[in-house]
Amino acid sequence: MSLWLIAHQENNVLLTDIAVEHTLASKNGGPRETVVLHPFTNTQRDSLGKFEIVRSVRKPGDKEVKCSTFVSFQQLAELYAKGVLDEFGFSVRMCAAGGKHPNTNPVKKILPTSIKPGSPFDLAVQGIDVSKPATRELRTALLRTDIKL
C-alpha cells in the first residue's frame, strides 16, 4: 500500500494517512456537503514536497495574524509526537482528494483520531525519540511562526 496519493488536478501529493472531515455550506442555501480532507504537499520551489502548518499569533496592539511555515513528513511527525502542534495551536493546510476546496484550502487541527492507526505516518510518529532536541532546520522553520524550541 502506498503512502502517497497523487491529486490529479494540481499535482499535489496527499498524505492519506491523515483524514479530517469538513462540511461545506452551500452558497444558495442548499444542502451541506461533507468532504474528507488530507494534508497536501506544496508545489512551489522553496517548499516543494513540504506540508504547511499555520498558527495565529497576537502581535503588538492585539492584532491577530496568521503565521505559517513548511515542514517535511518527518518534521510533521516529530512535531506531532512532541505535542508541538497542539501546544502552540497549529493547524495543517488540507485539501480534498478529489480536487481543490471551493475557496482557499482550509487549515484543520490534527487530532489523534484523524491518524490511521498502523499507517506509515502513525509509525513515524511512534518512532520519534521525544527526548532528542529538534534539528536546526526544524527550529529555523518554527521561528517563522514565533516559536522557539
Side-chain angles (χ1 to χ4, degrees):
M1 174 180 276
S2 173
L3 168 66
W4 305 105
L5 171 70
I6 304 294
H8 302 293
Q9 290 183 345
E10 295 183 27
N11 293 328
N12 290 324
V13 178
L14 297 178
L15 176 58
T16 58
D17 294 351
I18 299 172
V20 177
E21 286 190 353
H22 179 70
T23 303
L24 301 169
S26 174
K27 291 182 182 179
N28 56 6
R32 293 174 169 257
E33 178 185 358
T34 300
V35 295
V36 177
L37 303 176
H38 307 281
F40 68 99
T41 59
N42 200 332
T43 58
Q44 303 300 314
R45 259 189 333 180
D46 294 342
S47 55
L48 181 66
K50 294 188 175 188
F51 301 95
E52 183 181 13
I53 58 174
V54 181
R55 72 185 285 261
S56 294
V57 178
R58 285 230 180 259
K59 292 291 183 180
D62 288 329
K63 184 177 181 182
E64 187 171 288
V65 296
K66 298 275 186 195
C67 296
S68 72
T69 193
F70 294 90
V71 296
S72 69
F73 175 89
Q74 192 62 35
Q75 291 168 334
L76 184 62
E78 181 176 348
L79 291 172
Y80 189 83
K82 291 182 176 182
V84 174
L85 296 175
D86 188 44
E87 180 181 351
F88 293 103
F90 278 103
S91 296
V92 179
R93 183 80 55 199
M94 308 291 270
C95 183
K100 193 173 181 175
H101 189 271
N103 302 311
T104 303
N105 285 326
V107 293
K108 292 286 189 176
K109 303 267 186 216
I110 297 177
L111 302 174
T113 55
S114 302
I115 299 172
K116 185 187 214 178
S119 67
F121 185 76
D122 184 42
L123 296 175
V125 170
Q126 292 177 32
I128 299 294
D129 182 351
V130 296
S131 66
K132 289 185 177 178
T135 63
R136 179 187 301 173
E137 183 181 68
L138 181 54
R139 289 193 314 268
T140 300
L142 290 175
L143 283 175
R144 294 183 193 111
T145 64
D146 289 344
I147 300 293
K148 292 181 183 177
L149 280 186

